Amino acid sequence: VLDLQLNGSPSGGGLDVPMIEDKIAQRNAARKSKDFKRSDQLRDELLAMGIEINDSSQGTTWTRVVK
């Protein structure tokens, strides 16, 4: 189980939360296996969707970026 915290409403406000969680899980797996190119690619994909991810010792959190 990954340490994942969601910021925002449980409904996701129209976001595809399961897809976001899946991309974050893929990114965390890539980071763990030291595939930083793939990790960066997934971060960029999330950012393009308006999702900013933050890593800390407590796990990965994400927030919706409002432009």
Side-chain angles (χ1 to χ4, degrees), residues 13-62:
L15 295 175
D16 186 349
V17 174
M19 187 209 37
I20 293 167
E21 291 175 347
D22 182 59
K23 284 189 178 288
I24 291 172
Q26 289 177 47
R27 180 179 171 271
N28 287 339
R31 291 178 71 219
K32 186 174 182 176
S33 66
K34 301 191 184 305
D35 185 354
F36 298 114
K37 183 177 179 180
R38 178 68 178 143
S39 173
D40 290 346
Q41 179 186 16
L42 288 160
R43 179 187 285 272
D44 292 344
E45 288 175 16
L46 287 162
L47 192 55
M49 295 168 35
I51 303 300
E52 181 178 77
I53 55 176
N54 299 295
D55 300 309
S56 72
S57 60
Q58 286 77 40
T60 301
T61 59
W62 63 272

